[in-house]
């Protein structure tokens, strides 16, 4: 049986030749992402914004009457509600902000949720209540802080790990690739205004772990080749390493991708945002492992000597051992 | 490297099969089949987002505890001074600014007063709970120490957790989880709850019951304006009562509290046919209640729950024997809730619901079905790709993948971990990422063959050289998984659990198990070439 080969043997793509344009592109993407966050802001879900969120399904309709709902709920006097499709076209989530001080009164937030549901049911008797979430402003603030903390801690910890296992340049390279992946994913959420929730942060953390897989495999091969081909110029060596691991990179990204696609299409609607974030992150992560993690090493001056102690260092170690220093 | 002695093979198979068997009860259950009751039944817990139910986060405010302590201290001081012989007269009592301060009428009493108060300032522990200072020779100021307040919050939360547990148990819901979290919070999770409203109403009540005499001398216009006569205080009527919106003045002293209750039952008053709550006092409480009612026949007294007046009936005759009836516009449900709240005792501090997540049961079942479907299709696609790309080695990876999923589910069931909606996404990622190790190994074997190594040497090198990258990659994944677990709550934590356990099982099945398969085949077939 002839086996499938996604990447032909002896591929030799000159990735490094395009390192400057791609690096500029990445920088533009990062800056653009933060600009998008600054300009558009993120469409925080109830987890991070606080408030009362009610989810409903319109059983007799193909699509939910979103404009009418906005007007209906807006008329209740809790400010402008956030009404958005949630999973299927006939499912919506409606979020209203909690008035100041409501958190201190037991049952007051519920009363608001009940009123929203009752108002909608009066107008649309086929509306079914699927659930509701209440998050106080204080708890939402804590979730925001914890999410930022978790992202920073994870990025710092894995970069530190790479630094210890490899060299500091590799740690910085990995960190930069991660900042790139996380920024672009967050930027995409700012641009599309898809709901940004705790699940999305979980997805980003999963991306951090996964994107690093690719980077590590490339780095591991670079290290191996640095020892093997002492004389090879760095650019050539990086290209060789990326090409050698390309079949693997394509294959693992592809297996995860084809596992995720059915989840996007057939999976539970409430997972869509999270799975979409992971899918997008998968591509961004693969790109950054190939085009950012490697070239950065050249600019930080990694050479074939990086893993061999230099002559003077050896001498110094010996001197220390003899007690001469 | 490719050497697998019998004992090693046996123990690997034993581990794999044992962990996989643990998944069986969960699989039966998901498929809607009955698992024989005679067998042990460790099923994977379904999170509330899959099973339906309510998650509540309750929070007490430290300020409430401070205020409560201050009120208690005020009462203690008044009592001590009144009972002192001869009585110590005090005035200008104030609790402003979180401090209790009062004047002694005679400066000569200062040492006696200090002697009486000092012993109450030290709690049961070694913590100094209050500071006492004397200003201008005649004014005493008691301020709360942080240590004392923290101690009080800690105690209050412990007993509040207990009260919450008793109340929820009384509702008869199955397998609720009630855990104290942090300094001032309690997490309540009730799966499959049909009526979250009843639960929330119940938890919102502090159930502090008081009986106080109505101040008949108070001017009605002053009362409605919120001005209380000396020695009285003003309470609003509870929502739902006929007098809702108006206020009543009651005497501050001489009332009794519902602390000595021994029972509370919802019932119906045979005469009025209205829902009521029948309560019973212990001997001490019964005696106090009898004394109060005997001395005040013909006068009204107010029944006050959590600072709101339920009703203010006239005392028609002395109530002896420690049994009484609380009326006040109840529905059968609300009288039952009050009875439960009274039976389980008063919450030492009011709890506010700061986070609530409720999922209807239909949605959860739907999510599981869709999640399983997606998982099935995804697995088949991954398997097809692996076999098409790596042939026999792809088949081994597939077998390992199946065991990986079973082991992951089995370990989650055995470890008592919870499967959540994001956890399903975690399963799919694990399926997609589990073959990662095999891809690395197989690609490496391909390379080594291409460089001209012999079959066995190529396979050995493949496993050896790939394992370094596999190890690094998975460890960093675990690191981000741990960050996720540490910050996440509920469903997100469930995702982290699946990721972390999935990484461990996938390294085991993807590396160790496939190596055993490959080694067994190589030994038997001794091929000169491999199709990879």
């Amino acid at each position: 049986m002839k086996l499938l080969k996604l990447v032909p043997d002896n591929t030799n793509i000159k990735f490094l030749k395009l390192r400057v344009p791609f690096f500029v592109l990445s920088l533009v993407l990062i800056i653009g992402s933060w600009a998008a966050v600054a300009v558009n802001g993120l469409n925080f879900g109830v987890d991070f914004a606080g408030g009362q969120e009610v989810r409903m399904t319109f059983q007799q309709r193909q699509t939910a009457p979103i404009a009418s709902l906005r007007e209906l709920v807006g008329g209740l006097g809790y400010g402008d509600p956030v009404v958005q499709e949630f999973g299927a076209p006939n499912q919506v989530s409606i979020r209203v902000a909690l008035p100041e001080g409501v958190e201190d009164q037991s049952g007051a937030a519920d009363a608001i949720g009940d009123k929203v549901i009752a108002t909608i049911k009066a107008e649309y008797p086929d509306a079914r209540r699927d659930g509701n979430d209440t998050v106080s402003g204080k708890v939402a603030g804590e979730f925001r802080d914890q999410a930022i903390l978790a992202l920073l801690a994870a990025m710092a910890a894995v970069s530190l790990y790479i630094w210890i296992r490899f060299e500091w340049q590799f740690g910085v390279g990995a960190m930069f690739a991660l900042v790139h992946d996380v920024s672009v994913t967050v930027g995409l959420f700012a641009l599309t205004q898809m709901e940004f929730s705790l699940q999305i942060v979980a997805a980003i953390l999963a991306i951090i772990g996964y994107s690093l897989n690719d980077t590590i495999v490339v780095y591991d091969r670079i290290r191996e080749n640095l020892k093997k081909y002492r004389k090879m110029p760095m650019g050539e060596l990086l290209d060789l390493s990326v090409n050698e691991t390309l079949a693997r990179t394509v294959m693992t990204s592809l297996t995860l991708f084809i596992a995720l696609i059915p989840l996007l299409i057939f999976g539970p609607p409430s997972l869509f945002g999270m799975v979409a974030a992971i899918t997008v992150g998968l591509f961004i992560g693969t790109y950054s492992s190939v085009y950012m993690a490697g070239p950065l090493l050249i600019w930080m001056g990694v050479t074939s000597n990086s893993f061999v102690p230099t002559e003077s260092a050896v001498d110094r170690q010996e001197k220390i051992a003899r007690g001469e220093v | 490297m490719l050497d697998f002695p019998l004992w090693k093979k046996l123990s690997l198979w034993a581990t794999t099969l044992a962990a996989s068997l643990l998944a069986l009860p969960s699989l039966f259950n998901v498929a809607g089949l009955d698992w024989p009751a005679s067998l042990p039944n460790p099923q994977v817990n379904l999170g509330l987002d899959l099973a339906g139910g309510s998650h509540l986060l309750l929070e007490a405010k430290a300020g409430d505890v401070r205020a409560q302590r201050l009120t208690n201290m005020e009462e203690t001081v008044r009592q001590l001074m009144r009972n002192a012989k001869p009585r110590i007269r005090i005035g200008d009592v104030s609790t402003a600014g979180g401090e209790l301060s009062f004047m002694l009428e005679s400066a000569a009493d200062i040492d006696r007063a200090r002697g009486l108060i000092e012993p109450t300032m030290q709690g049961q522990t070694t913590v100094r709970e209050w500071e006492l200072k004397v200003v201008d020779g005649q004014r005493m100021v008691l301020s709360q120490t942080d240590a004392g307040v923290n101690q009080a919050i800690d105690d209050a939360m412990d007993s509040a957790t207990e009260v919450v547990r008793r109340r929820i148990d009384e509702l008869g819901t199955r397998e609720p989880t009630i855990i104290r979290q942090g300094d001032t919070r309690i997490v309540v999770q009730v799966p499959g709850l049909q009526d979250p409203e009843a639960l929330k109403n119940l938890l919102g009540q502090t159930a502090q019951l008081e009986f106080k005499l109505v101040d008949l001398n108070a001017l009605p216009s002053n009362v409605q304006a919120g001005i209380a006569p000396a020695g009285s205080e003003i309470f609003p009527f509870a929502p739902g009562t006929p007098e809702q919106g108006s206020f009543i003045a009651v005497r501050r002293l001489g009332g009794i509290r519902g602390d000595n209750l021994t029972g509370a039952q919802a019932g119906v008053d045979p005469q009025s046919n209205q829902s009521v709550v029948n309560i019973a006092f212990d001997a001490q409480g019964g005696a106090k209640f009898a004394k109060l009612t005997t001395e005040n026949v013909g006068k009204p007294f107010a029944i006050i729950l959590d600072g709101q007046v339920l009703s203010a009936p006239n005392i028609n005759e002395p109530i002896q024997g420690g049994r009484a009836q609380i009326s006040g516009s109840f529905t059968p449900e609300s009288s039952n809730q009050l009875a439960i709240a009274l039976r389980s005792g008063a919450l030492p501090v009011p709890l506010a619901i700061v986070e609530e997540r409720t999922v209807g049961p239909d949605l959860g079942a739907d999510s599981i079905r869709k999640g399983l479907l997606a998982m099935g299709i995804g697995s088949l696609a991954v398997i097809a790709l692996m076999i098409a790309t790596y042939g026999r080695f792809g088949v081994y990876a597939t077998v390992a993948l199946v065991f990986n999923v079973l082991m992951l589910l089995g370990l989650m069931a055995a470890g008592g971990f919870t499967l959540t909606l994001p956890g399903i996404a975690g399963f799919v990622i694990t399926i997609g990422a589990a073959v990662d190790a095999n891809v690395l190994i197989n690609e490496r074997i391909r390379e080594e063959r291409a460089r001209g190594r012999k079959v066995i040497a190529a396979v050995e090198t493949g496993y050896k050289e790939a394992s370094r990258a596999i190890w690094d990659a998975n460890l960093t994944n675990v690191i981000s998984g741990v960050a996720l677990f540490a910050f996440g709550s509920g469903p997100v934590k469930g995702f982290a659990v699946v990721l972390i356990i999935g990484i461990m099982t996938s390294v085991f099945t993807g590396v160790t198990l496939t190596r055993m398969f490959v080694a067994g085949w190589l030994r038997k077939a001794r091929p000169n070439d491999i199709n990879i």
Side-chain angles (χ1 to χ4, degrees), chain A residues 1-7 9 46-48 52 55 57 86 91 103-107 109-110 114 128-139 142-143 146-147 150-151 153-154 157-158 161-162 165-166 198-199 201-203 205-206 208-210 212-214 216-217 220-221 223-225 228-229 244-245 247-249 251-256 258-260 262-264 266-271 274-275 278, chain B residues 49 57 59 61 184-185 196-197 200-201 203-205 351-363 366-368 370-371 373-375 377-379 381-383 385-392 421-426 428-433 435-437 439-440 443-444 446-448 450-451 465-466 468-469 471-477 479-481 483-484 486-489 491-492 495 499 531-532:
Chain A
M1 189 179 84
K2 185 90 173 65
L3 293 179
L4 185 68
K5 273 200 179 149
L6 294 169
V7 177
D9 291 339
V46 71
D47 298 336
F48 293 134
Q52 168 79 237
R55 291 180 298 277
T57 302
F86 182 74
Q91 294 183 320
E103 289 146 31
D104 299 342
Q105 292 165 262
S106 187
D110 283 329
D114 292 345
R128 180 189 79 193
R129 171 198 155 140
D130 287 337
N132 67 293
D133 291 348
T134 311
V135 180
S136 83
K138 186 176 156 210
V139 174
E142 286 174 18
F143 281 152
Q146 283 176 338
L151 286 175
V158 293
Y161 179 85
I162 305 268
R165 289 282 291 161
F166 295 82
L198 275 177
Q199 280 191 9
V201 176
L205 278 163
I208 289 182
Y210 199 80
L212 213 62
N213 276 7
D214 284 351
I216 284 174
V217 171
D220 186 62
R221 184 57 66 101
R223 179 167 60 181
E224 200 182 317
N225 286 341
K228 203 148 93 196
Y229 310 106
E244 277 179 353
T245 51
R248 176 268 163 199
T249 305
M251 185 69 188
T252 51
S253 300
L254 194 65
T255 52
L256 183 54
I258 62 178
L260 287 171
L263 201 57
L264 273 179
F266 306 109
S270 41
L271 271 183
M274 181 181 183
V275 180
I278 297 174
Chain B
D49 50 354
L57 184 62
E59 187 179 59
K61 284 204 291 293
T184 56
R185 287 178 179 171
E197 298 308 315
K200 285 182 285 186
N201 290 338
L203 296 179
Q205 277 181 331
L351 296 172
I353 297 170
V354 289
E355 186 194 350
E356 183 215 332
R357 294 171 194 274
T358 302
V359 178
D362 300 343
L363 201 68
D366 203 39
S367 299
I368 296 183
K370 288 183 167 158
L373 176 71
M375 217 162 99
I377 300 174
S379 308
V382 170
I383 288 170
L385 182 65
M386 286 300 283
I387 294 179
T389 313
Y390 301 119
R392 172 182 290 275
L421 186 60
I424 290 182
V428 173
I429 293 181
T430 304
I431 290 171
V435 290
D436 201 86
V439 171
L440 267 172
E443 287 294 336
R444 190 70 193 218
R446 256 187 194 177
E447 264 181 67
E448 297 299 327
R451 282 186 193 149
E465 290 297 323
R468 196 177 50 236
W471 178 251
D472 280 336
N474 283 294
L475 246 166
T476 46
N477 262 340
I479 292 173
S480 54
L484 196 55
F487 108 94
S489 67
V492 172
F495 176 65
L499 278 191
N531 188 10
I532 190 166

Side-chain angles (χ1 to χ4, degrees), chain B residues 98-366:
Chain B
E99 290 179 332
L100 174 65
S101 89
F102 54 91
M103 294 277 285
L104 298 179
E105 284 190 1
S106 153
D109 286 332
I110 201 91
D111 286 332
R112 267 202 316 136
R114 188 197 292 274
L116 288 169
I117 295 170
E118 290 252 307
T120 67
M121 290 167 43
Q122 193 83 27
Q124 279 103 349
T125 53
T126 52
V127 175
R128 185 155 188 86
E129 299 189 345
W130 295 83
E131 298 287 353
L132 174 66
K133 59 177 191 266
V134 177
V135 186
D136 300 337
Q138 239 169 308
R139 174 173 287 278
M140 297 187 102
V141 178
L142 277 160
S143 51
Q144 317 193 38
T145 63
D146 284 344
V149 173
N150 290 340
Q151 178 79 40
I153 290 174
D154 200 49
D155 292 347
M157 290 311 289
D158 274 344
S159 55
T161 309
E162 210 31 58
V163 171
V164 167
R165 176 167 298 128
R166 281 202 297 269
R167 287 189 189 179
I168 290 175
D169 283 347
E170 292 247 12
L171 270 183
T173 50
R174 70 191 156 87
E175 294 173 43
T177 312
I178 297 132
I179 306 167
R180 210 187 131 178
Q181 189 184 63
D183 290 337
T184 56
R185 287 178 179 171
I186 301 172
V187 177
V188 175
Q189 295 190 324
V190 188
L193 186 73
Q194 291 308 309
D195 185 7
E197 298 308 315
L199 175 70
K200 285 182 285 186
N201 290 338
L202 194 56
L203 296 179
Q205 277 181 331
T206 9
Q208 186 65 259
L209 193 64
E210 293 168 295
F211 302 91
K212 288 187 166 175
L213 290 167
V214 175
D215 186 349
L216 296 170
N217 299 324
L219 281 173
S221 57
N222 277 354
V223 170
Q224 297 316 316
I227 304 165
S232 291
E233 53 193 331
I234 289 179
F235 285 110
F237 276 93
T241 53
E243 301 91 341
Q244 179 181 356
S246 62
F247 297 85
I248 192 168
V250 299
R251 305 270 289 279
R252 198 185 284 272
L253 299 174
I256 61 172
R257 281 216 205 165
D259 295 349
N260 304 87
L261 285 179
T262 54
Q265 288 294 328
V268 176
D269 181 53
Q271 277 149 32
S272 64
N273 222 6
Q274 282 192 336
S275 289
V276 292
V277 178
N278 296 306
I279 54 173
F281 286 102
D282 62 9
Q284 199 192 353
K288 273 200 250 173
F289 201 61
K291 183 162 178 278
L292 176 81
T293 51
T294 310
E295 287 170 0
N296 295 287
V297 170
K299 295 179 192 164
F301 74 124
I303 303 170
I304 304 163
L305 178 72
D306 295 343
Q308 294 181 326
V309 180
L310 294 177
S311 59
N314 272 318
I315 302 169
N316 295 327
E317 55 192 270
I319 299 169
Q320 311 282 357
R323 297 192 161 275
Q325 198 174 65
I326 306 174
S327 58
S329 307
F330 292 121
T331 63
E333 290 80 31
S334 66
S335 66
N336 190 38
Q337 277 173 22
L338 177 57
I340 291 175
L342 291 176
R343 272 204 299 273
S344 55
L347 283 173
V349 55
L351 296 172
I353 297 170
V354 289
E355 186 194 350
E356 183 215 332
R357 294 171 194 274
T358 302
V359 178
D362 300 343
L363 201 68
D366 203 39

Side-chain angles (χ1 to χ4, degrees), chain A residues 146-217:
Chain A
Q146 283 176 338
I148 293 169
L149 201 69
L151 286 175
L152 294 181
M155 283 158 77
V158 293
S159 302
L160 189 70
Y161 179 85
I162 305 268
W163 176 35
I164 292 169
R165 289 282 291 161
F166 295 82
E167 285 289 309
W168 69 266
Q169 292 97 332
F170 291 74
V172 173
M175 172 82 104
F176 198 82
L178 288 179
V179 169
H180 171 264
D181 299 345
V182 172
S183 302
V184 175
T185 312
V186 173
L188 213 63
F189 273 81
L191 215 60
T192 58
Q193 288 292 300
M194 269 170 70
E195 189 172 289
F196 196 84
S197 64
L198 275 177
Q199 280 191 9
I200 305 304
V201 176
I204 294 177
L205 278 163
I207 294 168
I208 289 182
Y210 199 80
S211 151
L212 213 62
N213 276 7
D214 284 351
T215 310
I216 284 174
V217 171

